[in-house]
Amino acid sequence: QVQLQESGPGLVKPSDTLSLTCAVSGYSISSTNWWGWIRQPPGKGLEWIGYIYYSGNTYYNPSLKSRVTMSVDTSKNEFSLKLSSVTAVDTAVYYCARKTSGYYPFEYWGQGALVTVSS
Amino acid sequence: DIQMTQSPSSLSASVGDRVTITCRASQDIGSWLAWYQQKPEKAPKSLIYAASGLQSGVPSRFSGSGSGTDFTLTINSLQPEDFATYYCQQYNTHPLTFGGGTKVEMK
């Protein structure tokens, strides 16, 4: 059973860097899948942030690309998101998810982590 | 970016009803279309992949159809646990994009 669990600070100050980690269990992160991040501002829809392959290849949403960095730690079976220079509009629930390679969308999701940007 | 437009944005229905939600892409995405169900305070759940493929464990009352730019999610005989918000998502082209959501409420 694949399980994903986000962790990180729930409160980040404006202009700081948001950092989240997604721990993967029940499945090796070193497989032919993409490991992604999606966010959802309170009461709003879903926005794809980007994803990373186990080898380190990445695709980022151009709207966030200048501020986003994703990485994979195969030794810990986890992957991470960093979003720099945050403002209040970055307040959202952040989900990590697995996209199976090929013809499949995001099949497995974490429970989500609310990150609030406020001083 | 490919824009995904869902309609309606909300609907009211009763248990046992047949519900249809549509999703239109701003350009051809082939069959690279997924549908998700989201309940309050929960992560989205994958229902349909490749426009019409039923995800493992998803009840057969859910079905998807379409290709190119026009897609449909149908729920036959709506059940109490189906009241939720539904999102479509294209994964043909980066950036991946979602529709705005359709909230299915109890009449």
Side-chain angles (χ1 to χ4, degrees):
Chain A
Q1 177 74 356
V2 182
Q3 292 187 312
L4 294 87
Q5 178 68 59
E6 305 88 351
S7 62
L11 181 64
V12 180
K13 288 183 168 53
S15 79
D16 282 357
T17 296
L18 177 160
S19 295
L20 291 171
T21 296
C22 182
V24 179
S25 58
Y27 195 85
S28 172
I29 204 169
S30 301
S31 60
T32 55
N33 294 290
W34 292 87
W35 303 94
W37 293 93
I38 299 100
R39 70 180 183 178
Q40 185 172 37
K44 296 188 177 181
L46 299 162
E47 180 182 30
W48 175 71
I49 299 171
Y51 48 37
I52 185 167
Y53 204 60
Y54 77 96
S55 60
N57 290 352
T58 56
Y59 283 99
Y60 298 149
N61 192 323
S63 68
L64 299 168
K65 187 175 182 177
S66 64
R67 300 194 290 133
V68 171
T69 304
M70 295 182 186
S71 59
V72 169
D73 188 334
T74 55
S75 66
K76 295 182 178 179
N77 216 44
E78 62 186 30
F79 61 106
S80 299
L81 167 71
K82 291 187 185 301
L83 181 67
S84 65
S85 305
V86 297
T87 68
V89 298
D90 294 310
T91 293
V93 175
Y94 286 76
Y95 295 101
C96 60
R98 189 192 92 174
K99 182 195 173 307
T100 305
S101 293
Y103 221 34
Y104 301 97
F106 291 105
E107 295 180 281
Y108 297 96
W109 294 66
Q111 65 184 28
L114 174 62
V115 179
T116 301
V117 179
S118 175
S119 55
Chain B
D1 298 4
I2 296 177
Q3 307 303 315
M4 305 300 293
T5 303
Q6 282 183 241
S7 60
S9 57
S10 66
L11 64 90
S12 297
S14 301
V15 172
D17 285 353
R18 183 183 189 189
V19 169
T20 300
I21 299 169
T22 64
C23 180
R24 175 164 289 178
S26 61
Q27 61 190 73
D28 190 338
I29 59 169
S31 294
W32 299 83
L33 190 282
W35 289 98
Y36 301 90
Q37 175 194 67
Q38 187 179 34
K39 296 182 179 179
E41 312 303 322
K42 296 292 186 182
K45 172 187 175 182
S46 179
L47 299 176
I48 301 288
Y49 65 92
S52 61
L54 192 66
Q55 203 70 249
S56 176
V58 174
S60 58
R61 62 180 180 273
F62 290 91
S63 63
S65 64
S67 67
T69 60
D70 294 304
F71 302 87
T72 300
L73 173 70
T74 300
I75 311 172
N76 283 304
S77 189
L78 193 71
Q79 296 301 298
E81 61 267 30
D82 301 336
F83 292 100
T85 300
Y86 294 84
Y87 292 93
C88 62
Q89 181 217 353
Q90 68 82 18
Y91 51 107
N92 178 69
T93 304
H94 296 116
L96 309 187
T97 48
F98 292 86
T102 296
K103 188 173 185 179
V104 177
E105 300 175 298
M106 190 176 301
K107 183 181 290 184

